[in-house]
Amino acid sequence: MRLTPFIPALLAFASALSIAAPRDIYDSDHNGLIEIEDLQDLNEIRNNTSAEHPSEIHGTHLYGADDGCPASGCNGYELTRDLNFDTNGNGRFDEGDQFWNDGKGFEPIGNFNLKFTTEFHGQGYALLNLTINRPGEYFTGLFGYLELASIHDLKLTADIKGGGNSGALTGFAWRSLFQKIQAETKVTATASEVQNCQPFCDARDNGGLIGSGVELTINRILLKTTVSGKENSGGLVGYLGDSNVDEAGVQSNVSGDQNIGGLVGRMTATSSTSPSISSTVKRSFVATIASGRTQIGALAGAMNITDISDSLASGTVNLDEQIYARAGGIAGAMKDSSLLRVIGTVHLPEKDENPTRFIGALTGQSGGASLTDVRDTHAARDLAKRAEGNGDGSLIPNQNFDLAHIQCASAADACDGLRFSGWNNSKNSENEALWVFGTQEQVPGLNLPQATLMDGNADGIIDPDPAEPGKKSGSSGGALIWLLALAAVVRRRR
């Protein structure tokens, strides 16, 4: 796909603005958010703690100043323009870029000993070509470590090389909000070679946006990503506990060893005493290639006390020839979890004549104190190459319909006994009909506020995929072109 003439000009303009002129006022609109006008401002955030909170960034100052902040003080930061880390504008990461840092790229803002604990408002602007090249280093991302933070209304393109707890936006987050994020990322995690690196030696807990997190709220995400790690690797998040994901659209290619998922590597509720605490995924779409040794799923590698509703997974799950390995169209393993109004059009490995692996159309293994609750959930048995919903463990319903049935059925019309009765009552957060029923040759899709997403032919690629063939993730514009085009996708409704 050719770049339209205005895109190179826009990117050159963003590069020119990466270093802005000094200023006397840091909160010119007096809204309590300090304005980030250039990359140096962004980098300076890490240096603004206080005597009262030397290990936390509260967003009260920049360069030690708070001119323009209201009487109550400032409490966060906001972008005022697009910023491009490719500061010399040559389309690659090299020594001519402002944050080359001897090839290591941008240093993450914060770490375990310096936590970002405030708001970062993108105002719809983009951080382009963020590059971090720190293999084996944990808590790697734009932000290293978040607590009680809010990151929202941001576009991002990034290429991240780190270790455990690596993600393009943050390595780790606790009790934080991620909202209205659009991104195209590549995250590669490798084990640390540093001595005495425990407990963060392994390349685990890595995601396309967030490495790992607990008690997070994640909504209105649009993401295209490639992730590789070892354990707990996911398209959106690697490890996620006691958290809620809503209205996420993810196109991913995720690979690793175990607990590998197109959306989340491992998702759980950490409370063993309160049955009212659970993690949730709702109104979300994932199209993926997920590959690994065991516990591999299109949506999640492993789920524990997790409720999935009004969601769709498509793509391919690849499983090593390992005995006792587990894989499923939705999750590699499920425990004390539920599925409600979920569609799976996932290509699974061939059925073994002498089963030594546990593969199910929905999950490779299920169990727990209570049976996994599956209602109004349909996986294409021909793509799954099996009707058994479960590869091993507690009873899960067999799947009785093929891809053609899922394509031709709707909320109004039955197809050989399949009808999505009542699904038209599901709404998105803007109170619009959530499920989109296209032609009789299209799998239903989801009408999310940020985009209408569909994989009509179940090939594992969101229709259409406007990404330029062969364009490197994080290059000067291909990512944003994909995001902007995808956000404009609409589908005929029946």
Side-chain angles (χ1 to χ4, degrees), residues 204-205 212-216 232 237-245 259 264-272 274 277-281 299-308 333-337:
R204 58 183 299 164
D205 302 338
S212 63
V214 178
E215 297 185 48
L216 306 185
N232 302 341
V237 189
Y239 171 86
L240 195 56
D242 300 334
S243 299
N244 301 293
V245 178
N259 296 341
V264 181
R266 182 185 175 201
M267 191 165 188
T268 184
T270 60
S271 174
S272 61
S274 175
I277 297 177
S278 66
S279 289
T280 64
V281 174
L299 193 144
M303 300 191 317
N304 177 43
I305 318 178
T306 301
D307 299 324
I308 313 295
M334 297 174 60
K335 182 179 179 182
D336 298 328
S337 299

Side-chain angles (χ1 to χ4, degrees), residues 86-297:
D86 180 17
T87 55
N88 62 8
N90 67 356
R92 62 179 182 271
F93 174 59
D94 59 22
E95 62 274 8
D97 291 319
Q98 181 181 358
F99 289 95
W100 168 247
N101 286 337
D102 294 325
K104 291 184 177 182
F106 190 73
E107 180 182 354
I109 298 171
N111 51 53
F112 182 77
N113 297 312
L114 179 62
K115 300 172 176 63
F116 185 90
T117 63
T118 187
E119 178 180 1
F120 189 88
H121 191 336
Q123 294 204 103
Y125 292 110
L127 295 176
L128 296 164
N129 299 309
L130 169 65
T131 302
I132 299 176
N133 185 25
R134 299 168 184 266
E137 293 189 15
Y138 53 90
F139 300 134
T140 301
L142 174 65
F143 296 95
Y145 201 107
L146 302 178
E147 278 193 4
L148 304 170
S150 172
I151 314 295
H152 60 100
D153 295 273
L154 177 68
K155 298 182 179 73
L156 174 70
T157 69
D159 188 344
I160 309 296
K161 294 181 178 67
N165 290 277
S166 289
L169 192 53
T170 185
F172 176 83
W174 178 71
R175 289 190 178 177
S176 296
L177 168 71
F178 300 85
Q179 181 171 280
K180 296 182 180 178
I181 308 292
Q182 296 185 17
E184 182 167 358
T185 71
K186 181 178 181 181
V187 176
T188 306
T190 54
S192 174
E193 296 181 357
V194 176
Q195 290 184 348
N196 302 318
C197 56
Q198 295 293 348
F200 303 111
C201 297
D202 295 334
R204 58 183 299 164
D205 302 338
N206 306 288
L209 207 61
I210 303 166
S212 63
V214 178
E215 297 185 48
L216 306 185
T217 298
I218 305 170
N219 56 58
R220 294 200 184 187
I221 306 297
L222 193 61
L223 171 66
K224 185 175 185 180
T225 188
T226 299
V227 179
S228 63
K230 184 178 180 181
E231 182 177 349
N232 302 341
S233 293
L236 179 63
V237 189
Y239 171 86
L240 195 56
D242 300 334
S243 299
N244 301 293
V245 178
D246 189 12
E247 296 182 331
V250 176
Q251 174 92 57
S252 66
N253 188 326
V254 187
S255 60
D257 183 63
Q258 66 178 13
N259 296 341
I260 309 300
L263 186 74
V264 181
R266 182 185 175 201
M267 191 165 188
T268 184
T270 60
S271 174
S272 61
T273 58
S274 175
S276 64
I277 297 177
S278 66
S279 289
T280 64
V281 174
K282 62 181 181 178
R283 299 184 293 200
S284 292
F285 183 108
V286 58
T288 190
I289 299 173
S291 308
R293 180 180 60 85
T294 188
Q295 296 196 173
I296 319 298

Side-chain angles (χ1 to χ4, degrees), residues 19-55:
I19 304 177
R23 61 194 192 274
D24 297 323
I25 302 297
Y26 287 89
D27 182 15
S28 61
D29 56 5
H30 316 297
N31 68 347
L33 297 177
I34 293 174
E35 289 138 10
I36 301 299
E37 296 188 348
D38 58 32
L39 290 177
Q40 189 57 48
D41 285 354
L42 183 70
N43 186 61
E44 175 62 19
I45 290 174
R46 74 183 75 249
N47 299 320
N48 288 265
T49 59
S50 65
E52 296 82 6
H53 303 284
S55 62

Side-chain angles (χ1 to χ4, degrees), residues 328-374:
I330 302 300
M334 297 174 60
K335 182 179 179 182
D336 298 328
S337 299
S338 70
L339 302 175
L340 174 63
R341 291 186 301 275
V342 175
I343 291 176
T345 56
V346 179
H347 299 259
L348 294 176
E350 295 290 340
K351 194 170 184 179
D352 297 330
E353 291 297 329
N354 298 304
T356 57
R357 300 180 299 171
F358 304 108
I359 304 172
L362 296 176
T363 182
Q365 181 183 37
S366 67
S370 62
L371 294 178
T372 294
D373 182 19
V374 178

